[in-house]
Amino acid sequence: MTALRAVAGATPDQLVLGLDTFGDVTVDDAGERATHAQVLRDVVEQAVLADRLGVDAITLGEHHRDDFALTSPEIVLAAIAGCTERILLGTGVTVLSSDDPVRVYERFATLDAVSSGRAEAVLGRGSFIESFPLFGYDLDDYEALFTEKLDLFARLREEDPVTWSGRHRAPLVDQHVYPKTEQPDGVRAWIGVGGSPESVVRSVRTGIPMMLAIIGGDPSRFTPFADLYRRAQAELGRAPMPLGVHSPGHVAATDAEAREQLWPHFEANRNRIGAERGWPRTTRAEFEREADTGSLYVGSPETVAQRIAATVRTLGADRFDLKYANGTMPHRQLMESVELYAAAVMPRVRELLAAA
């Protein structure tokens, strides 16, 4: 089989529409908390449903804390690979800063082999810092770790012998890394970018496409970053690179139902993380603003499709991934959201873009 690949300037038929989850620990309809093991099994079931219904991609985010179950997403992706046929299998993100680039490359090259070319790594620094002390890294090196390790990962994608040295791992001298992939450009990869000019240009310099993580505010505020991304490609002589977007949301039969289902889980999740980071408690008014005009794609299939199509047009995106798992929302509701996204949102987005 041939894996889907986004290309810059994608037509509506070429647009990649994916789903994303961090393996948020859920509750059942009675409010009982699921075990981490059950959440992982549920993630596999959600991905299998997405594949069967034609979703283009599934990405699993790496975290190392009690409220998320996905600490080793590549292992879960390998389990999904054995149960699926066509869906792209990625991470969103792999925290490269606190990992070893050689081991990361080996894991994804292995996943690519067993999935017949469907693996992709979304690399990032991570918005949570638990992995740094867990694996023995100093947060004072936060920026240097990512810059250095990304440089090595980009070199490994050439799949030639690598000679390299840096501050944060042992040097390599004429070193092969295995297994070799069957891909012309090595392991497929993206760089997760939160929205700094330096990160945008870094993506272009390394030749690894940018995945914008837009988690709040009007998506159009990221237009300058999309423009910089394309301008840097021209100035640095890069062939056109695809642009991806990742944002949270939830789909239900009606707008009112979707908002009522999501709100309590959104509130609990945001307030828990906000307490750790010194944010004020969220409000229903903030939630409604994000749902109306921000980067929370919540509502009926028509509403969500209209909002996604608008973002794709505004930014010229080649890919959109909806983070469909938000806090403790029950597995049953997540499955319903996946089904509506595949059956109703995706075809409607393509229809709207074709009409435009």
Side-chain angles (χ1 to χ4, degrees), residues 105-168:
Y105 198 88
E106 289 177 338
R107 296 198 299 267
F108 278 95
T110 301
L111 177 63
D112 200 63
V114 301
S115 66
S116 299
R118 292 186 282 145
E120 55 179 12
V122 183
L123 309 169
R125 288 171 287 191
S127 60
F128 294 90
I129 60 173
E130 287 81 4
S131 65
F132 289 82
L134 181 64
F135 299 120
Y137 290 98
D138 191 336
L139 281 170
D140 288 340
D141 297 324
Y142 183 82
E143 181 66 28
L145 282 165
F146 185 68
T147 300
E148 181 177 295
K149 293 184 177 189
L150 182 62
D151 174 66
L152 176 53
F153 189 92
R155 296 278 302 278
L156 294 169
R157 292 181 75 219
E158 300 170 7
E159 299 199 340
D160 294 325
V162 174
T163 297
W164 177 93
S165 63
R167 289 180 49 221
H168 298 286

Side-chain angles (χ1 to χ4, degrees), residues 185-199:
D185 301 314
V187 167
R188 185 184 297 107
W190 298 77
I191 298 177
V193 173
S196 73
E198 295 79 10
S199 296

Side-chain angles (χ1 to χ4, degrees), residues 247-250 262 266 287 290-292 294-298 307 326:
S247 289
H250 174 61
L262 179 57
F266 175 93
F287 171 80
E290 281 297 321
D292 288 338
S295 295
L296 188 60
Y297 296 75
V298 55
R307 304 269 330 280
N326 297 277

